[in-house]
Amino acid sequence: MPINNLKKFLIDYFIINQCTIIENEKNKITVKLTQDLDEKLMNRPFYWHYMKKLNKIGEPKKLTINLGSEQNPQADGEWIHFGSPRLHQIFNHIEEQGKYVRFFEKIKSSNQTPLNPWLVLNLKINYLGENNKEEIVSLGLQLINGAIYSNFMEKIKQYSFDKNCHDYCYPITPLIKQESAVNRVYKFIHHYLKNQELEWARKSNDRLQKEMELLEYFFNEASSSNLSTIDQEKKLLKDRLEPKIKIDIINGGYFYVTNTTNKNILANA
């Protein structure tokens, strides 16, 4: 990610994560971390585990950052620069945050308005074999009635969403819990894959068998000293040609929509 002003980037990061900026000098920032960010950044798992076990409120740390152009042993705080482990830790946290989102439909209302929960998962299906290919699938699971629909991001692109829930709106508690919801999505995907054309897998498997036969032919007179070589070659062939399907989650999250939008999605499924 291109960053022109590292100090501004870090201040924005801490503010977005609801930390308090205690000190903001030319080359130094001191922040009071939240518990969540303390757990993510400060490597104190035993402390927080102990606090939670005793049902006590822990004390998040303060973090002082030195942004000088070079490390100064006399300067207060931790020196952060491009390439420093702490900055990469922050990058990883931002990437983790971006992978799972929680959005509420943006509406204007002066009445109490319920919002219906959907779990949305965007998946990449990798078809691996002689000729690799991939497919992007967007699925939405209605967390009240359990209905699942494909091309979900296309269905909701006309609506506006925000990270914050409108004052007069309230999210309906899902009847289907997260673990069960994800399992339902994967069952849906497996059913989808069973109904796909499998010619690519047959061709890849045929190619694998021919390559195996050719390998056996060349090593037909092999002595025990090079049997390990044959096994290695067979493993390489299987890794390259054996047909298989790999599913990766690109991103996902919870989308809360009004009754009207919920009906429109269901009607246009």
Side-chain angles (χ1 to χ4, degrees):
M1 61 180 70
I3 300 174
N4 298 320
N5 188 324
L6 181 56
K7 181 180 179 182
K8 182 180 184 304
F9 166 80
L10 289 170
I11 289 176
D12 288 345
Y13 166 75
F14 288 119
I15 290 175
I16 288 171
N17 284 278
Q18 300 180 327
C19 299
T20 302
I21 307 297
I22 298 173
E23 190 176 16
N24 183 2
E25 298 182 356
K26 182 180 178 181
N27 289 323
K28 187 171 75 170
I29 306 169
T30 300
V31 297
K32 175 70 170 180
L33 300 175
T34 61
Q35 177 178 331
D36 181 62
L37 222 56
D38 187 300
E39 291 186 57
K40 296 291 183 183
L41 301 181
M42 301 311 291
N43 194 28
R44 299 198 295 162
F46 295 112
Y47 171 78
W48 288 110
H49 176 74
Y50 182 69
M51 289 294 104
K52 290 174 183 176
K53 192 171 183 179
L54 295 179
N55 199 27
K56 290 186 176 181
I57 298 175
E59 179 64 25
K61 280 192 171 184
K62 295 178 183 177
L63 176 63
T64 298
I65 294 171
N66 172 18
L67 292 162
S69 58
E70 59 184 28
Q71 188 169 15
N72 180 0
Q74 305 302 319
D76 293 332
E78 180 180 336
W79 183 42
I80 288 188
H81 57 93
F82 290 103
S84 65
R86 178 71 75 195
L87 189 58
H88 280 284
Q89 189 182 28
I90 289 172
F91 287 160
N92 290 336
H93 181 229
I94 292 171
E95 184 177 350
E96 179 185 319
Q97 285 179 310
K99 195 168 184 178
Y100 300 97
V101 298
R102 183 183 176 93
F103 283 130
F104 303 89
E105 186 175 355
K106 189 186 295 185
I107 62 167
K108 293 181 179 179
S109 176
S110 57
N111 299 316
Q112 291 295 312
T113 304
L115 298 178
N116 298 269
W118 288 79
L119 172 67
V120 180
L121 289 178
N122 296 312
L123 309 167
K124 181 168 71 172
I125 304 175
N126 300 281
Y127 300 88
L128 305 174
E130 182 180 8
N131 297 307
N132 296 339
K133 65 175 183 175
E134 63 182 41
E135 179 183 8
I136 305 299
V137 177
S138 177
L139 299 176
L141 168 65
Q142 222 281 0
L143 291 169
I144 301 299
N145 63 19
I148 301 179
Y149 301 100
S150 57
N151 300 320
F152 196 79
M153 295 305 295
E154 187 69 21
K155 298 181 191 303
I156 62 172
K157 69 178 184 180
Q158 60 182 299
Y159 305 105
S160 297
F161 291 90
D162 196 348
K163 289 184 178 180
N164 298 313
C165 188
H166 189 277
D167 289 341
Y168 290 97
C169 297
Y170 61 93
I172 299 174
T173 302
L175 295 181
I176 302 171
K177 301 306 179 185
Q178 180 175 316
E179 184 177 354
S180 175
V182 172
N183 287 336
R184 291 184 186 215
V185 170
Y186 271 95
K187 284 182 181 178
F188 181 91
I189 283 290
H190 290 157
H191 179 74
Y192 167 77
L193 293 173
K194 283 182 180 179
N195 290 285
Q196 294 299 297
E197 189 275 321
L198 296 176
E199 184 62 23
W200 68 274
R202 284 189 286 270
K203 287 183 178 180
S204 189
N205 196 56
D206 288 344
R207 173 72 185 280
L208 174 62
Q209 296 307 313
K210 289 178 181 178
E211 293 286 346
M212 286 288 194
E213 290 172 4
L214 191 60
L215 184 67
E216 291 283 356
Y217 174 79
F218 280 116
F219 284 91
N220 193 36
E221 303 298 327
S223 64
S224 59
S225 61
N226 56 16
L227 285 177
S228 60
T229 304
I230 300 175
D231 292 337
Q232 289 176 3
E233 291 294 330
K234 285 183 176 181
K235 183 178 184 306
L236 290 173
L237 280 175
K238 289 187 71 175
D239 290 343
R240 182 167 61 89
L241 295 174
E242 188 173 48
K244 47 189 166 292
I245 296 175
K246 182 171 177 279
I247 302 173
D248 294 318
I249 296 178
I250 301 172
N251 53 36
Y254 289 98
F255 284 69
Y256 292 85
V257 301
T258 61
N259 287 335
T260 300
T261 300
N262 193 66
K263 290 178 182 177
N264 289 338
I265 293 171
L266 297 175
N268 295 320

